[in-house]
PDB file of all heavy atoms in Angstrom:
ATOM      1  N   ASP A 624      22.642  20.693  11.668  1.00 81.00           N
ATOM      2  CA  ASP A 624      21.607  21.148  12.582  1.00 81.00           C
ATOM      3  C   ASP A 624      20.232  20.682  12.129  1.00 81.00           C
ATOM      4  O   ASP A 624      19.952  20.632  10.938  1.00 81.00           O
ATOM      5  CB  ASP A 624      21.594  22.673  12.653  1.00 81.00           C
ATOM      6  CG  ASP A 624      22.732  23.200  13.508  1.00 81.00           C
ATOM      7  OD1 ASP A 624      23.013  22.564  14.538  1.00 81.00           O
ATOM      8  OD2 ASP A 624      23.342  24.214  13.132  1.00 81.00           O
ATOM      9  N   PRO A 625      19.369  20.386  13.101  1.00 88.00           N
ATOM     10  CA  PRO A 625      17.996  20.077  12.709  1.00 88.00           C
ATOM     11  C   PRO A 625      17.296  21.345  12.217  1.00 88.00           C
ATOM     12  O   PRO A 625      17.848  22.444  12.309  1.00 88.00           O
ATOM     13  CB  PRO A 625      17.368  19.557  13.996  1.00 88.00           C
ATOM     14  CG  PRO A 625      18.191  20.099  15.106  1.00 88.00           C
ATOM     15  CD  PRO A 625      19.572  20.291  14.551  1.00 88.00           C
ATOM     16  N   SER A 626      16.107  21.188  11.720  1.00 92.00           N
ATOM     17  CA  SER A 626      15.346  22.280  11.118  1.00 92.00           C
ATOM     18  C   SER A 626      15.290  23.557  11.966  1.00 92.00           C
ATOM     19  O   SER A 626      15.010  23.506  13.164  1.00 92.00           O
ATOM     20  CB  SER A 626      13.925  21.767  10.875  1.00 92.00           C
ATOM     21  OG  SER A 626      12.980  22.702  11.297  1.00 92.00           O
ATOM     22  N   HIS A 627      15.547  24.681  11.328  1.00 94.00           N
ATOM     23  CA  HIS A 627      15.492  25.966  12.041  1.00 94.00           C
ATOM     24  C   HIS A 627      14.074  26.264  12.521  1.00 94.00           C
ATOM     25  O   HIS A 627      13.882  26.993  13.480  1.00 94.00           O
ATOM     26  CB  HIS A 627      15.999  27.098  11.135  1.00 94.00           C
ATOM     27  CG  HIS A 627      15.094  27.416   9.973  1.00 94.00           C
ATOM     28  ND1 HIS A 627      14.977  26.600   8.861  1.00 94.00           N
ATOM     29  CD2 HIS A 627      14.254  28.443   9.757  1.00 94.00           C
ATOM     30  CE1 HIS A 627      14.104  27.133   8.025  1.00 94.00           C
ATOM     31  NE2 HIS A 627      13.651  28.257   8.533  1.00 94.00           N
ATOM     32  N   VAL A 628      13.092  25.679  11.861  1.00 96.00           N
ATOM     33  CA  VAL A 628      11.706  25.906  12.268  1.00 96.00           C
ATOM     34  C   VAL A 628      11.471  25.285  13.644  1.00 96.00           C
ATOM     35  O   VAL A 628      10.942  25.923  14.557  1.00 96.00           O
ATOM     36  CB  VAL A 628      10.714  25.322  11.234  1.00 96.00           C
ATOM     37  CG1 VAL A 628       9.287  25.420  11.745  1.00 96.00           C
ATOM     38  CG2 VAL A 628      10.865  26.022   9.894  1.00 96.00           C
ATOM     39  N   LEU A 629      11.894  24.036  13.797  1.00 96.00           N
ATOM     40  CA  LEU A 629      11.686  23.359  15.076  1.00 96.00           C
ATOM     41  C   LEU A 629      12.517  24.015  16.179  1.00 96.00           C
ATOM     42  O   LEU A 629      12.045  24.163  17.309  1.00 96.00           O
ATOM     43  CB  LEU A 629      12.020  21.872  14.949  1.00 96.00           C
ATOM     44  CG  LEU A 629      11.140  21.123  13.937  1.00 96.00           C
ATOM     45  CD1 LEU A 629      11.565  19.670  13.817  1.00 96.00           C
ATOM     46  CD2 LEU A 629       9.664  21.209  14.321  1.00 96.00           C
ATOM     47  N   LEU A 630      13.735  24.437  15.852  1.00 95.00           N
ATOM     48  CA  LEU A 630      14.551  25.117  16.859  1.00 95.00           C
ATOM     49  C   LEU A 630      13.913  26.443  17.260  1.00 95.00           C
ATOM     50  O   LEU A 630      13.987  26.853  18.410  1.00 95.00           O
ATOM     51  CB  LEU A 630      15.981  25.343  16.333  1.00 95.00           C
ATOM     52  CG  LEU A 630      16.799  24.072  16.036  1.00 95.00           C
ATOM     53  CD1 LEU A 630      18.199  24.438  15.539  1.00 95.00           C
ATOM     54  CD2 LEU A 630      16.904  23.170  17.263  1.00 95.00           C
ATOM     55  N   SER A 631      13.238  27.105  16.297  1.00 97.00           N
ATOM     56  CA  SER A 631      12.617  28.398  16.601  1.00 97.00           C
ATOM     57  C   SER A 631      11.459  28.242  17.593  1.00 97.00           C
ATOM     58  O   SER A 631      11.060  29.200  18.237  1.00 97.00           O
ATOM     59  CB  SER A 631      12.138  29.089  15.319  1.00 97.00           C
ATOM     60  OG  SER A 631      10.949  28.492  14.842  1.00 97.00           O
ATOM     61  N   LEU A 632      10.926  27.042  17.706  1.00 97.00           N
ATOM     62  CA  LEU A 632       9.853  26.789  18.684  1.00 97.00           C
ATOM     63  C   LEU A 632      10.435  26.526  20.071  1.00 97.00           C
ATOM     64  O   LEU A 632       9.692  26.275  21.023  1.00 97.00           O
ATOM     65  CB  LEU A 632       9.025  25.571  18.267  1.00 97.00           C
ATOM     66  CG  LEU A 632       8.337  25.617  16.907  1.00 97.00           C
ATOM     67  CD1 LEU A 632       7.621  24.297  16.642  1.00 97.00           C
ATOM     68  CD2 LEU A 632       7.356  26.771  16.836  1.00 97.00           C
ATOM     69  N   GLY A 633      11.759  26.524  20.145  1.00 96.00           N
ATOM     70  CA  GLY A 633      12.407  26.297  21.424  1.00 96.00           C
ATOM     71  C   GLY A 633      12.682  24.834  21.711  1.00 96.00           C
ATOM     72  O   GLY A 633      13.042  24.470  22.827  1.00 96.00           O
ATOM     73  N   LEU A 634      12.522  23.968  20.709  1.00 95.00           N
ATOM     74  CA  LEU A 634      12.797  22.549  20.936  1.00 95.00           C
ATOM     75  C   LEU A 634      14.298  22.324  21.012  1.00 95.00           C
ATOM     76  O   LEU A 634      15.045  22.883  20.216  1.00 95.00           O
ATOM     77  CB  LEU A 634      12.242  21.703  19.781  1.00 95.00           C
ATOM     78  CG  LEU A 634      10.738  21.573  19.677  1.00 95.00           C
ATOM     79  CD1 LEU A 634      10.370  20.843  18.385  1.00 95.00           C
ATOM     80  CD2 LEU A 634      10.200  20.793  20.862  1.00 95.00           C
ATOM     81  N   PRO A 635      14.756  21.494  21.957  1.00 94.00           N
ATOM     82  CA  PRO A 635      16.183  21.187  21.984  1.00 94.00           C
ATOM     83  C   PRO A 635      16.574  20.348  20.764  1.00 94.00           C
ATOM     84  O   PRO A 635      15.740  19.635  20.199  1.00 94.00           O
ATOM     85  CB  PRO A 635      16.360  20.386  23.272  1.00 94.00           C
ATOM     86  CG  PRO A 635      15.021  20.120  23.820  1.00 94.00           C
ATOM     87  CD  PRO A 635      13.991  20.832  23.016  1.00 94.00           C
ATOM     88  N   HIS A 636      17.848  20.456  20.376  1.00 91.00           N
ATOM     89  CA  HIS A 636      18.344  19.719  19.208  1.00 91.00           C
ATOM     90  C   HIS A 636      17.959  18.243  19.226  1.00 91.00           C
ATOM     91  O   HIS A 636      17.485  17.701  18.247  1.00 91.00           O
ATOM     92  CB  HIS A 636      19.880  19.784  19.157  1.00 91.00           C
ATOM     93  CG  HIS A 636      20.404  21.027  18.536  1.00 91.00           C
ATOM     94  ND1 HIS A 636      20.255  22.262  19.113  1.00 91.00           N
ATOM     95  CD2 HIS A 636      21.069  21.241  17.372  1.00 91.00           C
ATOM     96  CE1 HIS A 636      20.816  23.172  18.343  1.00 91.00           C
ATOM     97  NE2 HIS A 636      21.315  22.589  17.284  1.00 91.00           N
ATOM     98  N   GLU A 637      18.200  17.588  20.387  1.00 89.00           N
ATOM     99  CA  GLU A 637      18.030  16.138  20.418  1.00 89.00           C
ATOM    100  C   GLU A 637      16.583  15.722  20.174  1.00 89.00           C
ATOM    101  O   GLU A 637      16.320  14.640  19.665  1.00 89.00           O
ATOM    102  CB  GLU A 637      18.572  15.533  21.721  1.00 89.00           C
ATOM    103  CG  GLU A 637      18.060  16.172  23.000  1.00 89.00           C
ATOM    104  CD  GLU A 637      18.974  17.295  23.482  1.00 89.00           C
ATOM    105  OE1 GLU A 637      19.401  18.133  22.652  1.00 89.00           O
ATOM    106  OE2 GLU A 637      19.256  17.346  24.700  1.00 89.00           O
ATOM    107  N   VAL A 638      15.655  16.610  20.507  1.00 93.00           N
ATOM    108  CA  VAL A 638      14.249  16.297  20.271  1.00 93.00           C
ATOM    109  C   VAL A 638      13.869  16.636  18.824  1.00 93.00           C
ATOM    110  O   VAL A 638      13.139  15.907  18.158  1.00 93.00           O
ATOM    111  CB  VAL A 638      13.345  17.053  21.273  1.00 93.00           C
ATOM    112  CG1 VAL A 638      11.880  16.890  20.907  1.00 93.00           C
ATOM    113  CG2 VAL A 638      13.590  16.528  22.685  1.00 93.00           C
ATOM    114  N   ALA A 639      14.408  17.747  18.333  1.00 94.00           N
ATOM    115  CA  ALA A 639      14.105  18.165  16.964  1.00 94.00           C
ATOM    116  C   ALA A 639      14.573  17.130  15.938  1.00 94.00           C
ATOM    117  O   ALA A 639      13.973  16.985  14.876  1.00 94.00           O
ATOM    118  CB  ALA A 639      14.742  19.523  16.679  1.00 94.00           C
ATOM    119  N   HIS A 640      15.638  16.375  16.280  1.00 93.00           N
ATOM    120  CA  HIS A 640      16.113  15.323  15.365  1.00 93.00           C
ATOM    121  C   HIS A 640      15.058  14.236  15.162  1.00 93.00           C
ATOM    122  O   HIS A 640      15.051  13.560  14.148  1.00 93.00           O
ATOM    123  CB  HIS A 640      17.375  14.649  15.923  1.00 93.00           C
ATOM    124  CG  HIS A 640      18.601  15.486  15.809  1.00 93.00           C
ATOM    125  ND1 HIS A 640      19.050  15.963  14.605  1.00 93.00           N
ATOM    126  CD2 HIS A 640      19.480  15.919  16.740  1.00 93.00           C
ATOM    127  CE1 HIS A 640      20.157  16.672  14.814  1.00 93.00           C
ATOM    128  NE2 HIS A 640      20.433  16.666  16.093  1.00 93.00           N
ATOM    129  N   GLY A 641      14.195  14.071  16.132  1.00 94.00           N
ATOM    130  CA  GLY A 641      13.206  12.989  16.046  1.00 94.00           C
ATOM    131  C   GLY A 641      11.858  13.478  15.558  1.00 94.00           C
ATOM    132  O   GLY A 641      10.825  13.084  16.085  1.00 94.00           O
ATOM    133  N   SER A 642      11.869  14.324  14.541  1.00 96.00           N
ATOM    134  CA  SER A 642      10.594  14.884  14.091  1.00 96.00           C
ATOM    135  C   SER A 642      10.065  14.190  12.842  1.00 96.00           C
ATOM    136  O   SER A 642      10.823  13.616  12.051  1.00 96.00           O
ATOM    137  CB  SER A 642      10.729  16.379  13.831  1.00 96.00           C
ATOM    138  OG  SER A 642      11.376  16.603  12.603  1.00 96.00           O
ATOM    139  N   LEU A 643       8.766  14.254  12.706  1.00 97.00           N
ATOM    140  CA  LEU A 643       8.083  13.661  11.557  1.00 97.00           C
ATOM    141  C   LEU A 643       7.014  14.640  11.100  1.00 97.00           C
ATOM    142  O   LEU A 643       6.213  15.111  11.907  1.00 97.00           O
ATOM    143  CB  LEU A 643       7.430  12.331  11.963  1.00 97.00           C
ATOM    144  CG  LEU A 643       6.517  11.676  10.913  1.00 97.00           C
ATOM    145  CD1 LEU A 643       7.342  11.147   9.731  1.00 97.00           C
ATOM    146  CD2 LEU A 643       5.727  10.521  11.529  1.00 97.00           C
ATOM    147  N   ARG A 644       7.032  14.967   9.799  1.00 97.00           N
ATOM    148  CA  ARG A 644       5.950  15.804   9.259  1.00 97.00           C
ATOM    149  C   ARG A 644       5.094  14.962   8.337  1.00 97.00           C
ATOM    150  O   ARG A 644       5.583  14.379   7.373  1.00 97.00           O
ATOM    151  CB  ARG A 644       6.502  17.000   8.476  1.00 97.00           C
ATOM    152  CG  ARG A 644       5.361  17.858   7.876  1.00 97.00           C
ATOM    153  CD  ARG A 644       5.876  18.977   6.987  1.00 97.00           C
ATOM    154  NE  ARG A 644       6.390  18.469   5.732  1.00 97.00           N
ATOM    155  CZ  ARG A 644       6.980  19.220   4.799  1.00 97.00           C
ATOM    156  NH1 ARG A 644       7.156  20.507   5.010  1.00 97.00           N
ATOM    157  NH2 ARG A 644       7.418  18.683   3.678  1.00 97.00           N
ATOM    158  N   ILE A 645       3.818  14.915   8.677  1.00 98.00           N
ATOM    159  CA  ILE A 645       2.843  14.248   7.826  1.00 98.00           C
ATOM    160  C   ILE A 645       1.952  15.335   7.273  1.00 98.00           C
ATOM    161  O   ILE A 645       1.424  16.152   8.034  1.00 98.00           O
ATOM    162  CB  ILE A 645       2.045  13.225   8.653  1.00 98.00           C
ATOM    163  CG1 ILE A 645       2.946  12.018   8.934  1.00 98.00           C
ATOM    164  CG2 ILE A 645       0.766  12.796   7.926  1.00 98.00           C
ATOM    165  CD1 ILE A 645       2.322  11.002   9.820  1.00 98.00           C
ATOM    166  N   SER A 646       1.824  15.427   5.949  1.00 98.00           N
ATOM    167  CA  SER A 646       0.951  16.468   5.396  1.00 98.00           C
ATOM    168  C   SER A 646       0.008  15.835   4.387  1.00 98.00           C
ATOM    169  O   SER A 646       0.419  15.265   3.382  1.00 98.00           O
ATOM    170  CB  SER A 646       1.779  17.602   4.786  1.00 98.00           C
ATOM    171  OG  SER A 646       2.831  17.126   3.977  1.00 98.00           O
TER     172      SER A 646
END
Side-chain angles (χ1 to χ4, degrees):
Chain A
D624 283 321
S626 134
H627 69 286
V628 173
L629 298 178
L630 296 181
S631 76
L632 301 177
L634 289 173
H636 277 67
E637 52 268 45
V638 172
H640 286 303
S642 77
L643 172 70
R644 178 185 72 184
I645 286 175
S646 46

